[in-house]
Amino acid sequence: MDPADETNWPLLKSERTWGQLELGIVLLVTATATWCYIIGEYVGYYLNLKQGFATMTAGSMIGMFLVTLAVVPAATRYGIDSIVAARPQFGNRGWIVTVFLQYTSIIGWNSLLIIFFGKSVVQLLLTIGAVEEASAGMVQIVATLIACAIIFGVLLKGKTGIERASNILFFFVVGVGLWMIYILFSNQSEAIATATPAYASGDIQWDYVTGIEIGIVSLLSWWPYIGAMVRVAPNAHTAVKPAMLGMGLPVPLLSVIGLAAILALETSDPSAWMVQLGGSFYGTIALLFVIAANLGTAIVGVYATAVGLKSVPGVGKMSWKVTLLLGLVPVAFIGVVLPDLFFNNFGTFLAFIGVFFAPLCAIQIVDYFLLRGQRLSVRALYDNSEGSAYSYWGGFNPAALAGMAAGFVVYVYLLNPLSYVSRSPYEVLTASLPAAVAGGVVYWIVTVALVKPAGRGGAN
Amino acid sequence: MDDRTMQMELDRRLAELEKPENQGGGLSSGDWIFLLLTGVIGPALLLLWGW
């Protein structure tokens, strides 16, 4: 394996070998997972097919636009991941904020994906009669552990392993995904067209904005993943199209399956409605699709976590295998020991974690484009000393902390991410976009008023 | 790799990446147009269509 794969070091020009096609395939396989059905299902609670498709796609592309602008230019200029790219804004100790967000977010999502993986394997084996109902619990545990072992094995090869796995999964995921859309729309076109959303609020403007909000906040969650992937591209030009079309667009397109299914068949779970439409054979294909899609995403998630964790001083000296285990063991533990407890409670935590990505993206955009003229000190990115340009005060930048706090307060004022109870002007502006603006503006003001005059942060 | 070798390797990488010719290029005007089309104008048109 390339030594740079075992660290968070910047990749050299000679190591950044992924073109648009390679990066696009990896990002598409990353984006395609069970959450697409969940996103579609949520939007389908409030909106019909046309409105749901329009809002979900628009919101997703707006969210991807913010993530792309925040991460891609710096990551591709210097070959760095999302965490290292956030050091100029948060400080050479403030990275702990972004590592925490990345680690908890990806561990949480990966746990969900692995649990879904295990459940799908159980359903698949039950469908084909390979196991009895009584042994389902044990089969799910074994499937979870096998998934973790596969992820570990793939990632021993670093980014090369990801590329190979993505190339294998790509055709199956895309092919079956398109086939499922065809099956659903050709069988249920009238029911889908005439269906009304079950939980519409009665205020179409609120429902419409909520569809946009779900799209934006879903795609903002790509922030922790994208840096570790796009850093393998040689420049921003190579990464922009794969990011927007490979990682942004597939989510709403695949979420249409969940949206249409919840409207017409009142379930977004493909393994359930495919059985309704085509019997156990179709159900088996749907389960294989879920298994493959979740595996691809989980592989990239663990890789991004491992690269991000290399910013933690103690972890930086650990072997690659041990670092991978730091990303995998919590997932395996949750998947094996407390899947139900996790299902019932961890969604609360993830909902609040997601709120932070809007101001985080805005802070990075303001910093890189408006305050630093698209240039970073690559040496200071890896300098943990007090004398570093990015040490600020004790390693923390108050501008970033204030920006994050402002964004969080604005978001939860406008929209409770758990109950979806909102306050005006949410029904006009969404919650993520004002939170991003608040985060960016506060960061800019504190930087100009306090950080720059004090000669801190290296942006003078 | 021991600590010293790792630090030397990191220093070598940083020295190389400090030279602008070894850095990746930024967003071109075409990239900005593409980003605005897919991330701002396209979504706005979609929202008008869906309303």
Side-chain angles (χ1 to χ4, degrees), chain A residues 12-363:
Chain A
L12 302 176
K13 214 170 188 178
S14 58
E15 295 164 335
R16 292 194 248 159
T17 52
W18 286 0
Q20 289 185 335
L21 182 64
E22 292 90 344
L23 183 61
I25 287 173
V26 170
L27 292 179
L28 189 145
V29 170
T30 305
T32 310
T34 298
W35 48 52
C36 293
Y37 310 124
I38 299 170
I39 295 167
E41 179 180 330
Y42 281 146
V43 173
Y45 288 158
Y46 304 109
L47 296 164
N48 65 29
L49 182 72
K50 182 184 176 187
Q51 295 165 331
F53 175 74
T55 56
M56 203 164 58
T57 307
S60 296
M61 296 311 283
I62 293 168
M64 199 66 225
F65 174 72
L66 292 174
V67 172
T68 301
L69 274 187
V71 179
V72 168
T76 52
R77 184 179 291 280
Y78 301 104
I80 54 179
D81 73 312
S82 300
I83 301 297
V84 175
R87 280 188 169 211
Q89 299 89 49
F90 285 82
N92 64 358
R93 288 187 184 160
W95 49 259
I96 193 74
V97 175
T98 52
V99 167
F100 173 77
L101 286 174
Q102 184 192 50
Y103 191 68
T104 50
S105 169
I106 295 184
I107 293 292
W109 281 116
N110 269 359
S111 298
L112 274 178
L113 295 178
I114 291 300
I115 292 168
F116 276 123
F117 177 96
K119 286 180 183 293
S120 299
V121 170
V122 169
Q123 261 185 287
L124 176 65
L125 295 178
L126 286 171
T127 305
I128 62 174
V131 297
E132 301 286 323
E133 191 76 53
S135 56
M138 182 53 67
V139 172
Q140 186 174 335
I141 290 172
V142 172
T144 299
L145 294 174
I146 289 174
C148 291
I150 292 171
I151 293 167
F152 184 77
V154 168
L155 291 179
L156 285 178
K157 295 281 182 189
K159 63 184 190 311
T160 310
I162 291 176
E163 190 180 2
R164 285 180 190 162
S166 298
N167 286 339
I168 294 168
L169 295 171
F170 173 77
F171 292 102
F172 185 74
V173 168
V174 171
V176 177
L178 291 174
W179 177 72
M180 284 165 64
I181 292 174
Y182 169 75
I183 291 290
L184 183 58
F185 280 83
S186 60
N187 281 283
Q188 298 290 320
S189 57
E190 199 175 321
I192 294 168
T194 56
T196 52
Y199 302 107
S201 68
D203 177 354
I204 184 60
Q205 188 175 339
W206 190 94
D207 293 337
Y208 207 69
V209 165
T210 297
I212 302 169
E213 176 62 30
I214 291 172
I216 295 174
V217 83
S218 301
L219 271 287
L220 287 175
S221 297
W222 286 137
W223 184 91
Y225 290 79
I226 192 170
M229 301 296 105
V230 296
R231 72 178 187 144
V232 193
N235 51 49
H237 173 73
T238 306
V240 163
K241 286 188 180 73
M244 294 300 289
L245 302 181
M247 200 172 208
L249 196 56
V251 174
L253 292 184
L254 206 59
S255 298
V256 164
I257 300 177
L259 170 65
I262 196 75
L263 285 168
L265 303 165
E266 297 178 352
T267 175
S268 66
D269 179 0
S271 61
W273 62 256
M274 286 286 277
V275 171
Q276 281 186 46
L277 297 183
S280 57
F281 177 65
Y282 278 20
T284 302
I285 293 173
L287 286 167
L288 286 171
F289 174 81
V290 171
I291 290 166
N294 285 0
L295 191 64
T297 307
I299 288 170
V300 174
V302 173
Y303 179 74
T305 311
V307 173
L309 281 173
K310 285 293 181 184
S311 284
V312 181
V315 180
K317 292 178 182 175
M318 290 178 180
S319 72
W320 180 244
K321 287 179 184 175
V322 174
T323 312
L324 284 178
L325 290 176
L326 290 177
L328 263 176
V329 170
V331 173
F333 178 80
I334 291 168
V336 170
V337 179
L338 37 92
D340 294 331
L341 185 70
F342 175 84
F343 252 76
N344 296 335
N345 296 294
F346 204 70
T348 306
F349 187 54
L350 279 179
F352 276 103
I353 287 287
V355 167
F356 286 106
F357 289 122
L360 172 54
C361 287
I363 286 168

Side-chain angles (χ1 to χ4, degrees), chain A residues 4 9-13 15-16 50-51 53-55 57-58 61-62 65 69 76-78 204-205 208 212 234-237 240-241 244-245 317 369 375 378-379 382, chain B residues 1 3 5-7 9-18 20-28 31-32 34-36 38-40 43-44 46-51:
Chain A
W9 291 343
L11 296 183
L12 302 176
K13 214 170 188 178
E15 295 164 335
R16 292 194 248 159
K50 182 184 176 187
Q51 295 165 331
F53 175 74
T55 56
T57 307
M61 296 311 283
I62 293 168
F65 174 72
L69 274 187
T76 52
R77 184 179 291 280
Y78 301 104
I204 184 60
Q205 188 175 339
Y208 207 69
I212 302 169
N235 51 49
H237 173 73
V240 163
K241 286 188 180 73
M244 294 300 289
L245 302 181
K317 292 178 182 175
F369 288 102
R375 294 285 165 185
V378 68
R379 193 163 288 276
Y382 294 87
Chain B
M1 274 197 273
D3 285 359
T5 314
M6 284 183 76
Q7 189 56 49
E9 172 60 15
L10 177 59
D11 283 340
R12 183 185 74 82
R13 286 171 178 273
L14 296 178
E16 197 167 317
L17 279 162
E18 280 177 325
E21 64 269 25
N22 292 329
Q23 298 169 2
L27 296 169
S28 66
D31 295 329
W32 277 108
F34 175 79
L35 276 170
L36 290 173
T38 53
V40 180
L46 256 178
L47 291 175
L48 287 173
W49 169 78
W51 180 248

